[in-house]
Amino acid sequence: MLIVQKYGGTSVGSIERIMAVAKRVAEAKKQGNDVVVIVSAMSGETDKLIGLASRISRDPEGREMDLLLSSGERTSAALTAMAIHELGFPAMSFTGRQAGIITNSLHTEAKIEKITGGLAIKALKKGVIPVIAGFQGITETSEVTTLGRGGSDLTAVAVAAALGADLCEIYTDVDGVYTTDPDIVPEAKKLGKISYDEMLELASLGAKVLQTRSVEFAKKYGVPVVVRSSFNNNPGTLVVKEDKDMEKVVVSGVAYDKNQAKITVVAVPDKPGVAAKLFDAIAGANIVVDIIVQNISSDGKATDISFTVAKADSGKALRITEDIVRELGAEEVKMREDIAKVSVIGVGMRTHSGVAAKMFGTLAKHNINIMMISTSEIKVSCIIDSKYTELAVRVLHDAFGLGEKRGKSGRKKGG
Ligand code: ADP
Ligand code: ASP
Ligand code: MG
């Protein structure tokens, strides 16, 4: 078998952890597999580098950020290759450039365009274990790029797709994908398998266990992915195509995202073209808008428009909105950053009703006010005050009967 193994930040968070990873890689090789390893930066490293940059500039150039951030994964890749070598197995580390990971030029959020394999593939063919620095690539003009937070997952899935690997193993600090974040709800249950679509919703709604774009990629190319722990040998969670059994489960997970901000434009003139003008300007700045709510005006004169964006974009979105608002003659613009989105997800919602009602009722019972609602075929999301996030996740998880009594979990949290 050809196996791609990706190790996250906690899994390579110390020299001891890196040695343990090397042992696992060696084990897979000993069993006769070809192995390609992708590593994240050691835990906390990327945040540390971002912190250093922020002490110099409020808005550093994307190009410089990418060169800076790519260094974290280079370090862990080289150390991991050394550790595998120490165990008597041939291994070589490669940067994104050396592995031929070609991206577009959208710095800090680059998209992979193709993977040529570069030196890494040559090494693999010679029986060497390539250890590729995750999260990074190179543009056609040789600029270093990074793939967005959590981007090593994408490197792994994309490399697995390019090589036609039999399996892409994502090693992390939890035993698999749970019904919700096990850090918040200890009763959360590990899922044996989950469909690409549900995983996509869970990821995009905040469950960081897999990066959203990596799941999109896995779905598009049918890459078999398993999420499992690097701290034990428990079987993980398979991310696979939907099957009939999955529809029987109405809600399979609860997710939350505290990384949101809400902007409200108060008393906008109620006439055609207003929303188009506002959201054109926001889209023009490459800002993704999530939920939009527009009230119907009762007097035919003015209406409020609220929308949410990622916190990272909130300052820019606010400035753009304020400029437009002056032109439109709205009353004022307000922003709240103390909000969170909680969501329930399940492919069974396509064929079962009452999920939204149960969700609203559960939040109401705990006096949690809903500010905005958004639904799709397989999810319902509510924007709430962020101080109730953990409570909301717990009571929703309970209301939809997702939990289990936890026995010995084998779960161990790394640094
Ligand atoms: P890595 O560094 O290995 O990439 P991440 O921190 O990015 O790991 O992702 C793993 C974390 O995702 C877990 O520690 C857990 O707290 C969090 N998480 C959030 N939602 C879920 C979920 N539904 N299932 C499993 N883990 C989740
Ligand atoms: N090191 C990067 C991050 O922290 C990429 C990753 O870990 O996947 O976001
Ligand atoms: Mg991650």
Side-chain angles (χ1 to χ4, degrees):
M1 287 224 297
L2 172 58
I3 306 176
V4 172
Q5 297 190 330
K6 178 257 169 177
Y7 292 92
T10 316
S11 302
V12 292
S14 65
I15 294 302
E16 291 69 32
R17 290 300 315 151
I18 287 176
M19 315 263 254
V21 161
K23 271 197 195 135
R24 195 179 283 270
V25 173
E27 199 50 48
K29 182 82 179 163
K30 256 192 251 166
Q31 283 165 10
N33 301 297
D34 285 322
V35 189
V36 177
V37 179
I38 316 288
V39 287
S40 288
M42 295 170 81
S43 57
E45 188 58 26
T46 306
D47 286 335
K48 198 173 97 194
L49 294 169
I50 292 173
L52 290 176
S54 72
R55 286 172 57 195
I56 294 174
S57 167
R58 266 183 59 196
D59 196 12
E61 283 293 320
R63 180 187 184 278
E64 309 312 327
M65 279 312 280
D66 277 349
L67 203 66
L68 176 71
L69 297 188
S70 66
S71 69
E73 269 73 7
R74 290 174 79 128
T75 306
S76 51
L79 292 172
T80 305
M82 287 175 202
I84 298 170
H85 215 260
E86 276 301 299
L87 297 177
F89 291 83
M92 283 168 84
S93 57
F94 298 98
T95 64
R97 172 208 286 266
Q98 291 174 314
I101 298 177
I102 316 295
T103 74
N104 66 9
S105 56
L106 200 65
H107 281 293
T108 72
E109 286 288 344
K111 305 247 174 339
I112 294 181
E113 287 181 341
K114 63 174 182 233
I115 295 185
T116 63
L119 296 177
I121 197 96
K122 286 194 187 127
L124 179 68
K125 282 184 181 149
K126 285 188 193 144
V128 173
I129 301 169
V131 182
I132 301 174
F135 177 54
Q136 55 184 275
I138 191 100
T139 67
E140 294 283 4
T141 56
S142 294
E143 294 288 357
V144 173
T145 50
T146 61
L147 309 176
R149 294 308 303 266
S152 298
D153 295 335
L154 178 59
T155 307
V157 173
V159 166
L163 297 178
D166 299 291
L167 186 60
C168 179
E169 296 181 319
I170 305 286
Y171 284 98
T172 184
D173 57 2
V174 279
D175 281 5
V177 180
Y178 283 72
T179 46
T180 194
D181 189 344
D183 268 359
I184 291 197
V185 183
E187 298 80 20
K189 197 162 67 190
K190 189 179 80 187
L191 301 164
K193 58 182 175 181
I194 184 168
S195 70
Y196 288 121
D197 285 331
E198 283 173 318
M199 191 61 237
L200 204 51
E201 290 282 5
L202 260 184
S204 69
L205 294 168
K208 62 176 184 158
V209 62
L210 279 179
Q211 189 221 29
T212 308
R213 270 165 46 213
S214 75
V215 187
E216 274 167 8
F217 216 97
K219 183 184 173 192
K220 189 165 165 194
Y221 295 99
V223 179
V225 173
V226 62
V227 179
R228 52 187 301 199
S229 170
S230 68
F231 293 83
N232 59 46
N233 282 317
N234 297 346
T237 302
L238 266 169
V239 188
V240 286
K241 271 211 196 98
E242 189 176 324
D243 63 37
K244 276 273 157 286
D245 276 0
M246 289 175 172
E247 286 223 337
K248 290 189 198 139
V249 184
V250 184
V251 168
S252 48
V254 178
Y256 67 94
D257 182 359
K258 291 186 179 179
N259 200 18
Q260 299 255 312
K262 175 166 81 95
I263 295 178
T264 303
V265 188
V266 183
V268 209
D270 194 10
K271 60 180 188 208
V274 167
K277 196 161 197 167
L278 174 60
F279 293 110
D280 252 7
I282 302 231
N286 257 323
I287 296 172
V288 178
V289 173
D290 184 12
I291 303 180
I292 302 175
V293 172
Q294 176 176 297
N295 297 333
I296 302 164
S297 64
S298 48
D299 55 5
K301 280 192 204 123
T303 180
D304 291 355
I305 298 179
S306 293
F307 60 95
T308 59
V309 294
K311 254 187 201 143
D313 292 329
S314 63
K316 208 161 153 197
L318 183 64
R319 280 198 295 281
I320 293 170
T321 310
E322 280 169 346
D323 287 348
I324 299 276
V325 157
R326 243 171 266 130
E327 265 178 59
L328 294 176
E331 261 175 30
E332 62 169 324
V333 183
K334 293 194 261 189
M335 180 159 87
R336 277 191 68 169
E337 292 196 292
D338 58 339
I339 61 155
K341 180 166 66 176
V342 288
S343 310
V344 300
I345 296 124
V347 287
M349 281 185 210
R350 289 196 190 116
T351 44
H352 295 75
S353 59
V355 173
K358 190 167 184 175
M359 179 174 189
F360 305 154
T362 306
L363 294 175
K365 203 167 111 195
H366 292 85
N367 258 321
I368 301 172
N369 190 38
I370 301 171
M371 298 181 213
M372 296 166 110
I373 298 166
S374 136
T375 62
S376 81
E377 235 192 343
I378 65 165
K379 73 115 199 278
V380 185
S381 299
C382 295
I383 298 287
I384 60 168
D385 191 318
S386 64
K387 67 174 181 253
Y388 299 122
T389 314
E390 283 77 10
L391 173 65
V393 170
R394 274 200 301 274
V395 297
L396 289 171
H397 192 261
D398 198 42
F400 287 100
L402 296 175
E404 68 174 2
K405 284 266 167 288
R406 266 175 98 79
K408 206 171 130 245
S409 74
R411 177 168 144 73
K412 190 169 137 194
K413 192 84 192 163

